[in-house]
Amino acid sequence: MTDIFEVPSPDNNLLDKAEQLRLASIKTSQTNNNERIRALNLMADSLEKNSKEIIDSNFEDYKKAEIKGISKALLSRLKLSKEKLNLGIEGIRKVGDLSDPLGQIQIKKELSKGLILERKTVPIGVLGVIFESRPDAVMQISSLAIRAGNGVMLKGGSEANFTNQAIVSALKKGLQKSNIDDNAICLLTSRKDSMAMLNLEKFINLIIPRGSNELVKFIQENTGIPVLGHADGICHLYIDDEVNLDIALKVALDSKIQYPAACNAIETLLIHKSIAPAFLKKAIPIFNSNNVKLIGDKKAVKLGVAFEANYEDWQTEYLDLILSIKIVDDLEEGIAHIQKFSSKHTDGIITENISNANKFMSEIDSAGVFHNCSTRFADGFRYGFGAEVGISTQTLPPRGPVGLEGLVTYKYFLRGEGHSVDDFSSGKSIYTHKDL
Amino acid sequence: MTDIFEVPSPDNNLLDKAEQLRLASIKTSQTNNNERIRALNLMADSLEKNSKEIIDSNFEDYKKAEIKGISKALLSRLKLSKEKLNLGIEGIRKVGDLSDPLGQIQIKKELSKGLILERKTVPIGVLGVIFESRPDAVMQISSLAIRAGNGVMLKGGSEANFTNQAIVSALKKGLQKSNIDDNAICLLTSRKDSMAMLNLEKFINLIIPRGSNELVKFIQENTGIPVLGHADGICHLYIDDEVNLDIALKVALDSKIQYPAACNAIETLLIHKSIAPAFLKKAIPIFNSNNVKLIGDKKAVKLGVAFEANYEDWQTEYLDLILSIKIVDDLEEGIAHIQKFSSKHTDGIITENISNANKFMSEIDSAGVFHNCSTRFADGFRYGFGAEVGISTQTLPPRGPVGLEGLVTYKYFLRGEGHSVDDFSSGKSIYTHKDL
């Protein structure tokens, strides 16, 4: 996306689509739980029925992409096998099984006799989702959006255009049999439209980008619409002096190599100086045999780390089998390093000292603070949320792995019998402020 | 603020202050409930002890402002009488009485044997508050910030500089006797610094502007830091055909005249055509006798409204005794008008028809949707939140009147015994996802 420097104004065609989507999203917000569950099942049925067209469309996309010579990694993400499609369909039914996020009463109180305040969860409205490659994201995001009573405007990578169109066409056919207006799902296919989406403040309430750091950064810097997501995932693991070395080795290795391209994999290992010789003696051969390139500060190099780190390393998300290592004098220095360089995604400590663990978890203000376990657990599925729309590294909620709960907001409902504020100013009425 | 078009970079002096504040805010986040309550009481004691200096400083500010010829409204907001100061002090003690917003467990579950996930409320970090005139805001905001474990950077209007300095000096003296680092409150006095504050993304987690629409808009457009607040408050009241005319009149009048300069006062009244003649016949003389200037569409003018409205009127926040009136054919037209022009603050319906009320409250996506009561109830104190930092018109939480609850966020704490994700991939471990 780095070649796009201008966000175009939406043209009339896009504005029409956005208006239809907005109206459909209002209708969707009025549906009840059973109607939304039924809609998801009809969406899943329709995908099953149209699976041949979808797989064929994906084959077209794949052939084109191969000729174009796109990278192997992108090709593998683009490929939608029958198994992947079935997993996507199963995922939609599972989202139907999640409990209704709407209509949850968060506050209910009597402000005064006959004047009742309620705060209830309601849909956000319209989600704008921009994602790269993975056509399975269309199924996941659409089902989460509808489950939470929202409309959704989708824009996938152009290399998956045929696949995305086939999937959305099937989803809409499913919706047509349900009580939900099929305009609640809207697919954009041109890059111009997807950029203009960033200017649809009046129609879109939340942008969810799913893709490279560059994509996310570009979107964050070029829209006034709130963005749910994260650009960098610079996660740390600090190994304290009082540790069980086996746990430290196991967790450090898992945090780095279990899936190095994930945002929740660690980029930097901080090691207390008094445990560093013993730890690195065991760890270096293991990392080497797992093809992890180790880069360290001067002290780490003295202890056998092959390459010396420069300042840039502490703020780099490698997304690869590369790990930077720093030896620190104490817990405080470890915390200070993380406070400076963390992208506030997930940071962990390995220690047998509970008060050190508590200090670390309290002073590090990342979305996830972990003790004696792999940073790779920072994930909506592993947290048991059933499905995930993304991981937010912002300070304000929703932060961390965001499930269905992140696709709703709340509003205040106040019901009276002709109550005026003046009656309270004059002393004629009084506030009772009683929880109901 | 409209004369400022450039946001300067923070200078070294400001960066030093911000760093001290950041470190103090981390220490504050570690304090327990009793320590924070004690700090608030010491802050209140110190204000009492230094009340003469504060009142004297305010007198200096007032004299200067009078000579400068600032408006009467501003002068009256600037004035800090002994009574207002005492109310502020009492307010601080009341914030101490509110229940602790920190450490609330929102989620607690076992992900697998020995792997426990908790989501708990934590402070946001550092708040940046920019406000105009009212020196009482310093006391209110500082106490709310400290109560929720945050640090706060404050910038008030320059016309209240002496007062603000005297208040902050007293608050800091109070904090010095407590367990909270007095660097947790930081006052800026130059306009250059207050604008540079908008570029302190690394130090400030949330900006809270309290002032004119122009100030809020300027801030929203010139910072990458999340902003809690609202610019416009264009609130509507829709009067349905099936109404109790007395209720309709009473609520319409209260919503407009009880305090017309408030953001929760209505700017537009929408009236169902079949009730409009009867309603306006009674309402026009009452509004006239209360000096409310009525502006209406053609149909309203035919029914006696004095002035004709233009398009601009439907999107104007008068903040004054002016009311625009539109006659609509039905509920749907009323809802559509509000969906188009509402600033999503608070919109109300007057009706005896429950299903119409429900439709209205469900289809209007404002922070507050009211039935048969005045829009002026949209307020943190009236909602029973004890204190209010502001009212947010954004779609995502916190929205509506925001109390102490809006000054906290949450984070995920995961504690294990050496758990690795690989053990789950290989089938060696299984997820239990059991609520605790």
Side-chain angles (χ1 to χ4, degrees), chain A residues 43 112-113 218 324 338 388-389:
Chain A
M43 283 158 68
S112 183
K113 195 168 170 297
F218 179 85
S324 57
I338 296 173
E388 175 186 287
V389 288

Side-chain angles (χ1 to χ4, degrees), chain A residues 391-415:
Chain A
I391 295 184
S392 170
T393 54
Q394 284 156 11
T395 302
L396 296 182
R399 72 193 304 220
V402 178
L404 207 47
E405 174 201 40
L407 299 186
V408 304
T409 181
Y410 55 71
K411 66 185 182 191
Y412 289 92
F413 298 76
L414 186 64
R415 293 181 172 88

Side-chain angles (χ1 to χ4, degrees), chain B residues 68-87:
Chain B
K68 238 179 147 183
I70 73 167
S71 78
K72 264 200 157 171
L74 269 179
L75 271 180
S76 105
R77 271 187 269 164
L78 173 58
K79 176 89 187 154
L80 187 67
S81 62
K82 190 86 180 66
E83 291 68 38
K84 240 190 197 174
L85 177 60
N86 286 342
L87 275 174

Side-chain angles (χ1 to χ4, degrees), chain A residues 106-372:
Chain A
Q106 299 177 321
I107 292 175
K108 184 165 185 175
K109 58 165 121 185
E110 181 196 87
L111 302 192
S112 183
K113 195 168 170 297
L115 187 64
I116 309 297
L117 180 73
E118 276 187 315
R119 188 168 96 180
K120 282 195 289 193
T121 54
V122 295
I124 286 179
V126 173
L127 315 177
V129 184
I130 302 174
F131 56 100
E132 289 175 334
S133 296
R134 305 183 179 277
D136 30 339
V138 179
M139 300 180 268
Q140 194 192 17
I141 292 280
S142 303
S143 57
L144 285 164
I146 299 290
R147 185 75 188 93
N150 297 294
V152 63
M153 184 175 271
L154 296 152
K155 171 65 179 70
S158 57
E159 66 285 354
N161 261 349
F162 288 126
T163 319
N164 291 339
Q165 280 170 345
I167 293 174
V168 168
S169 159
L171 293 174
K172 279 173 168 283
K173 278 183 201 157
L175 282 184
Q176 282 155 16
K177 293 182 186 161
S178 80
N179 284 354
I180 288 177
D181 186 339
D182 71 328
N183 284 319
I185 301 179
C186 167
L187 177 71
L188 305 181
T189 49
S190 82
R191 172 173 274 196
K192 178 168 161 279
D193 278 354
S194 78
M195 287 298 107
M197 193 202 276
L198 302 181
N199 276 334
L200 289 174
E201 286 94 347
K202 295 212 165 163
F203 299 93
I204 295 181
N205 303 95
L206 180 67
I207 297 264
I208 305 176
R210 309 240 300 192
S212 66
N213 300 9
E214 289 72 33
L215 173 75
V216 177
K217 263 182 208 148
F218 179 85
I219 290 171
Q220 285 172 334
E221 286 164 11
N222 285 282
T223 185
I225 305 169
V227 178
L228 189 158
H230 68 281
D232 289 324
I234 302 182
C235 302
H236 298 78
L237 189 68
Y238 166 70
I239 299 180
D240 200 18
D241 54 346
E242 296 175 43
V243 290
N244 174 324
L245 269 184
D246 290 336
I247 286 183
L249 278 167
K250 183 181 171 190
V251 172
L253 201 69
D254 193 77
S255 299
K256 182 68 231 181
I257 74 162
Q258 207 269 333
Y259 187 39
C263 55
N264 55 15
I266 56 168
E267 310 302 335
T268 299
L269 195 61
L270 300 160
I271 314 173
H272 191 288
K273 64 178 179 192
S274 62
I275 198 81
F279 177 81
L280 284 177
K281 197 177 160 195
K282 285 191 175 187
I284 290 173
I286 298 175
F287 278 119
N288 283 345
S289 70
N290 281 284
N291 301 314
V292 180
K293 179 181 173 185
L294 300 179
I295 302 174
D297 67 350
K298 282 202 168 64
K299 290 175 192 166
V301 169
K302 269 194 192 156
L303 292 170
V305 166
F307 300 94
E308 193 170 325
N310 56 41
Y311 189 84
E312 200 46 46
D313 282 304
W314 312 122
Q315 46 195 352
T316 299
E317 182 177 16
Y318 301 114
L319 293 168
D320 204 347
L321 287 172
I322 304 173
L323 181 65
S324 57
I325 296 178
K326 187 182 164 80
I327 313 296
V328 296
D329 283 351
D330 49 26
L331 175 62
E332 283 71 21
E333 192 188 344
I335 289 175
H337 179 96
I338 296 173
Q339 283 171 342
K340 186 162 181 190
F341 294 104
S342 169
S343 62
K344 306 201 171 184
H345 187 299
T346 304
D347 298 292
I349 180 171
I350 306 294
T351 186
E352 296 298 303
N353 182 319
I354 297 297
S355 91
N356 281 3
N358 287 342
K359 181 179 165 73
F360 179 95
M361 295 170 96
S362 166
E363 294 192 11
I364 301 289
D365 62 341
S366 298
V369 283
F370 286 14
H371 175 209
N372 286 354

Side-chain angles (χ1 to χ4, degrees), chain A residues 30 362 364 372 395 409 411 418, chain B residues 30 362 364 372 395 409 411 418:
Chain A
Q30 314 300 308
S362 166
I364 301 289
N372 286 354
T395 302
T409 181
K411 66 185 182 191
Chain B
Q30 314 301 308
S362 166
I364 301 289
N372 286 354
T395 302
T409 181
K411 66 186 182 191

Side-chain angles (χ1 to χ4, degrees), chain A residues 22-23 26 29-30 107 109 111 115 117 119 122-125 202 205-206 226 247 250-251 254 258 339-340 344 358-378 380-385 394-402 405-406 408-425 428 431 433, chain B residues 22-23 26 29-30 107 109 111 115 117 119 122-125 202 205-206 226 247 250-251 254 258 339-340 344 358-378 380-385 394-402 405-406 408-425 428 431 433:
Chain A
R22 191 184 68 83
L23 294 173
I26 294 172
S29 74
Q30 314 300 308
I107 292 175
K109 58 165 121 185
L111 302 192
L115 187 64
L117 180 73
R119 188 168 96 180
V122 295
I124 286 179
K202 295 212 165 163
N205 303 95
L206 180 67
I247 286 183
K250 183 181 171 190
V251 172
D254 193 77
Q258 207 269 333
Q339 283 171 342
K340 186 162 181 190
K344 306 201 171 184
N358 287 342
K359 181 179 165 73
F360 179 95
M361 295 170 96
S362 166
E363 294 192 11
I364 301 289
D365 62 341
S366 298
V369 283
F370 286 14
H371 175 209
N372 286 354
C373 55
S374 169
T375 56
R376 292 272 301 121
F377 284 106
F381 292 93
R382 294 181 191 131
Y383 279 5
F385 297 166
Q394 284 156 11
T395 302
L396 296 182
R399 72 193 304 220
V402 178
E405 174 201 40
V408 304
T409 181
Y410 55 71
K411 66 185 182 191
Y412 289 92
F413 298 76
L414 186 64
R415 293 181 172 88
E417 299 165 349
H419 289 74
S420 73
V421 166
D422 193 51
D423 282 347
F424 291 81
S425 300
K428 212 175 127 187
Y431 290 106
H433 288 151
Chain B
R22 190 184 68 84
L23 293 173
I26 294 172
S29 75
Q30 314 301 308
I107 293 175
K109 60 165 122 186
L111 302 191
L115 186 64
L117 181 73
R119 188 169 95 181
V122 295
I124 286 178
K202 295 211 165 163
N205 303 96
L206 180 66
I247 286 183
K250 181 180 172 192
V251 172
D254 192 77
Q258 206 269 332
Q339 283 170 344
K340 187 164 180 187
K344 306 202 170 182
N358 287 340
K359 181 180 165 74
F360 179 95
M361 295 170 96
S362 166
E363 294 192 10
I364 301 289
D365 61 343
S366 298
V369 284
F370 286 14
H371 176 211
N372 286 354
C373 55
S374 169
T375 56
R376 293 270 302 121
F377 285 106
F381 292 93
R382 294 181 189 130
Y383 279 6
F385 297 165
Q394 284 158 9
T395 302
L396 295 184
R399 71 194 304 219
V402 177
E405 175 200 39
V408 303
T409 181
Y410 55 72
K411 66 186 182 191
Y412 288 93
F413 297 75
L414 186 64
R415 293 180 172 89
E417 301 164 348
H419 289 74
S420 73
V421 166
D422 193 50
D423 281 347
F424 291 81
S425 299
K428 215 175 125 186
Y431 290 106
H433 288 150

